[in-house]
């Protein structure tokens, strides 16, 4: 039964299956994604050096496991975490993007969750927009309010995680419409109306998880609150 | 992801058979499957004959590989059930649209063409990929990814992720069970709080575990460059398989 409820949870609608996108759309998304991943790979190797492989590996396993948790969304349905913004906040934009990409690769290749030909698009929507865009949105808001305050952190995380889900849904809808599979108005309406709601669940869970880490091990956050000098120097 | 409930490392339930398909190197199987999936999924809508050709070939491969039909169909059913819901959702939405623009009947037939095409593409792709993952173990698939010029560092991260996947999932399930047994998940509000905290706590455990692992690896002489796997050489049957897959793909695209 848990398997079934997991199955029909609408969050998965963000994983576009094979056959929904045509050749030009898939190709453009693949090119953008490969460029981003290779850039992320370079940055991560430079930042983490020989720690890169084990750390990115366990973090990808963590995101994968976190995505499997079902939790109640206000309003009666249940959903599960996408984790893009969470990965960005915890690991930073480059490592976060890399980890999310690895998760989507594993989901597509080993578990047939999301198509193989559209993997580029899926990584772009949820990895690039969710993690990369989500991280910079969060950072801008947090640093505007105050780096040391939980209020700034909370507002930044909340806005970024909601936006990351909704914008990923918009991007997926645009790609599906550009491929001529479903008319733009229909797919945009369906995707956005669902994910506006799902984004609320994503926001709550991300916020609670980040709050826990903020209280217990704030030094593990990518932009740790109490040691500002080192991170700012590294940019 | 859905199939993780069955156990991540029992994915390849039919990997121990001795058939012609299994005799092919994992690389060859992966290449053939990818070529077929890309050909299927990127064929423009409405090319029924092309998909009939591909479908016949896939049927042949399924028979040849002696994948248990029950397992294959269950998996494909589980995977399409969800996507089917998405497709049906769009059809339902389309139904609403038709009433709005009743005058143009062509839109509806085109809608059905698109729906049928997308449905077939999805089904055939899922069949191919399921045959591949049912017959090829995760270790073999990882090794096969080398042929796609996957950077060794990505492969190493993938391997390390798959190794710790089971650990993370079990740890999470333990936390969930612990929360449920203390009656903390009955109320949606507290359930969210508990599960969110569990995710936070799992991240802390994960990160410290990652650092422990990297220290252990370094102490065994790891230098940051993953050791390269020695790939076995392609046999004649591998070349034949790849060539015939390419030929089938081209023939399928040529037929109208």
């Amino acid at each position: 039964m848990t398997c079934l409820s997991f199955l029909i949870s609408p969050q998965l609608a963000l994983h576009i299956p094979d056959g929904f996108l045509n050749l030009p759309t898939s190709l453009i998304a693949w090119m953008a994604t490969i460029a981003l991943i290779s850039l992320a790979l370079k940055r991560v190797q430079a930042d983490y050096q020989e720690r890169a492989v084990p750390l990115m590996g366990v973090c990808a396993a963590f995101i994968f496991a976190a995505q499997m948790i079902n939790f109640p969304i206000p309003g009666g349905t249940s959903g599960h975490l996408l984790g893009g913004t969470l990965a960005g906040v915890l690991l930073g934009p480059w490592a976060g993007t890399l980890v999310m990409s690895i998760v989507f690769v594993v989901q597509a290749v080993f578990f047939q969750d999301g198509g193989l030909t559209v993997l580029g698009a899926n990584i772009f929507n949820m990895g690039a927009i969710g993690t990369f865009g989500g991280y910079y949105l969060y950072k801008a808001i947090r640093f505007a309010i105050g780096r040391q305050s939980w209020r700034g952190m909370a507002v930044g995380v909340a806005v970024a995680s909601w936006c990351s889900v909704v914008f990923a849904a918009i991007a997926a809808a645009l790609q599906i419409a550009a491929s001529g599979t479903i008319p733009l108005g229909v797919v945009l309406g369906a995707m956005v109306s669902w994910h506006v709601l799902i984004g609320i669940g994503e926001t709550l869970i991300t916020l609670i998880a980040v709050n826990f880490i903020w209280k217990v091990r704030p030094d593990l956050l990518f932009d740790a609150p109490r040691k500002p000098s080192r991170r700012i120097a590294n940019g | 992801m859905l199939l993780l409930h069955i156990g991540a490392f029992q994915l390849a339930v039919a990997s121990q058979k001795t058939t012609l398909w299994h005799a092919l190197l994992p690389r060859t199987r992966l290449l053939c499957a990818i070529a077929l999936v890309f050909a299927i999924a990127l064929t423009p809508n409405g090319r029924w004959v092309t998909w009939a050709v591909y479908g016949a070939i896939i049927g042949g491969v399924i028979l040849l590989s002696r994948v248990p039909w029950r397992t294959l169909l269950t998996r494909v059913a589980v995977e399409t059930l969800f996507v089917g819901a998405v497709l049906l959702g769009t059809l339902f939405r389309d139904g609403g649209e038709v009433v709005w623009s009743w005058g143009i009947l062509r839109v509806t037939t085109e809608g059905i063409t698109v729906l049928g095409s997308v449905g077939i593409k999805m089904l055939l792709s899922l069949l191919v990929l399921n045959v591949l993952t049912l017959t090829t173990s995760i270790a073999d698939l990882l090794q096969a990814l080398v042929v796609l010029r996957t950077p060794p560092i990505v492969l190493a991260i993938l391997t390390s992720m798959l190794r710790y996947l089971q650990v993370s999932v079990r740890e999470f399930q333990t936390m969930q069970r612990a929360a449920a047994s203390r009656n903390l998940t009955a109320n949606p509000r507290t359930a969210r709080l508990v599960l969110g905290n569990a995710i936070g706590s799992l991240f802390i455990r994960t990160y410290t575990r990652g650092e422990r692992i990297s220290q252990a690896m370094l102490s065994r002489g790891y230098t940051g460059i993953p050791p390269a796997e020695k790939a076995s050489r392609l046999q004649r049957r591998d070349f034949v398989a790849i060539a015939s897959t390419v030929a089938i793909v081209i023939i399928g695209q040529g037929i109208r």
Side-chain angles (χ1 to χ4, degrees), chain A residues 100-113:
Chain A
M100 292 304 284
S101 309
I102 297 279
V103 170
F104 295 127
V105 168
V106 166
Q107 283 173 350
V109 176
F110 298 100
F111 298 96
Q112 279 86 53
D113 187 7

Side-chain angles (χ1 to χ4, degrees), chain A residues 74-99:
Chain A
T77 54
S78 74
H80 66 96
L81 193 72
L82 201 62
T85 307
L86 184 67
V89 170
L90 298 178
L91 300 168
W94 297 108
T97 304
L98 184 65
V99 161

Side-chain angles (χ1 to χ4, degrees), chain A residues 106 108-112, chain B residues 11-12 21 25-31 33-34 129-148 150 155 158-159 162:
Chain A
V106 166
V109 176
F110 298 100
F111 298 96
Q112 279 86 53
Chain B
L11 275 178
W21 170 254
L25 285 178
R27 278 187 284 166
T28 314
R29 285 182 244 164
L30 183 71
L31 275 183
I34 287 179
L129 289 174
N130 273 295
V131 169
L132 178 72
T133 47
L134 276 171
T135 54
T136 316
S137 71
I138 286 181
D140 281 345
L141 273 181
L142 281 173
Q143 224 186 3
L145 283 173
V146 176
V147 85
L148 294 176
T150 316
L155 271 183
L158 271 173
T159 314
L162 286 162

Side-chain angles (χ1 to χ4, degrees), chain A residues 182-209:
Chain A
I182 305 171
L184 181 65
V186 176
V187 69
L188 202 63
M191 291 290 267
V192 172
S193 57
W194 254 124
H195 287 90
V196 160
L197 211 77
I198 288 169
I200 297 174
E202 174 91 7
T203 305
L204 284 173
I205 291 295
T206 311
L207 208 54
I208 297 167

Side-chain angles (χ1 to χ4, degrees), chain A residues 139-154:
Chain A
K139 193 174 175 180
I141 295 173
R142 179 182 162 194
F143 282 33
I145 295 179
R147 184 187 178 126
Q148 301 296 101
S149 78
W150 164 247
R151 214 168 60 94
M153 182 85 188

Side-chain angles (χ1 to χ4, degrees), chain B residues 23-229:
Chain B
L24 297 174
L25 285 178
R27 278 187 284 166
T28 314
R29 285 182 244 164
L30 183 71
L31 275 183
C32 293
I34 287 179
L36 267 177
V37 168
F38 272 78
I40 291 163
L42 299 178
T43 303
N45 289 340
R47 298 273 298 271
W48 311 108
V49 186
T50 306
W51 292 315
V53 172
Y54 293 156
I57 298 298
I58 293 165
V61 171
I62 294 173
L63 283 179
L64 186 70
S65 63
R66 285 195 279 149
V67 170
W69 280 98
R70 254 185 91 96
T71 322
L72 180 68
L73 291 183
T74 318
R75 281 197 189 186
V76 172
V78 165
E79 286 152 5
T80 36
L81 199 65
F82 152 72
V83 185
V86 174
L87 263 182
L88 278 181
T90 61
L91 185 69
F92 174 72
R93 287 241 158 192
D94 258 336
E97 289 275 305
V98 168
V99 182
W100 179 66
S101 58
W102 182 244
I104 316 157
L105 204 71
R106 239 187 86 240
V107 175
T108 347
T109 46
E110 209 174 291
I112 290 168
T113 308
V114 171
L115 196 78
S117 305
V118 172
I120 286 176
K121 286 195 237 181
M122 204 180 58
L123 192 70
L124 290 181
S125 310
L126 281 177
L127 278 174
V128 175
L129 289 174
N130 273 295
V131 169
L132 178 72
T133 47
L134 276 171
T135 54
T136 316
S137 71
I138 286 181
D140 281 345
L141 273 181
L142 281 173
Q143 224 186 3
L145 283 173
V146 176
V147 85
L148 294 176
R149 312 242 161 211
T150 316
I153 188 97
V154 172
L155 271 183
I157 296 174
L158 271 173
T159 314
S160 116
M161 174 201 177
L162 286 162
R163 194 168 294 147
Y164 289 98
L165 193 58
Q166 202 82 324
V167 179
S168 278
V169 170
R170 283 217 188 107
E171 216 160 45
F172 238 133
Q173 284 167 344
T174 311
M175 283 181 179
Q176 261 185 313
R177 244 193 328 271
S181 70
R182 288 167 181 80
N183 218 6
L184 294 174
T185 50
N187 172 352
R189 238 189 92 106
T190 49
R192 269 198 302 276
L193 198 64
V194 166
L195 293 178
N197 283 344
I199 290 176
S201 143
L202 193 77
F203 174 74
I204 295 171
R205 285 195 206 181
T206 300
Y207 202 89
T208 45
R209 172 178 295 126
E211 291 194 318
R212 275 203 315 277
I213 295 166
S214 65
Q215 273 157 17
M217 283 167 76
L218 287 178
S219 74
R220 291 186 204 112
Y222 179 73
T223 52
I225 303 149
E229 296 270 1

Side-chain angles (χ1 to χ4, degrees), chain A residues 13-39:
Chain A
L14 269 181
H15 287 72
I16 305 173
D18 275 321
F20 275 68
L21 299 187
N22 62 4
L23 186 61
T25 317
S26 327
L27 214 60
I28 293 170
W30 266 115
M31 287 193 293
T33 302
I34 288 175
L36 189 76
I37 291 181
S38 43
L39 213 59

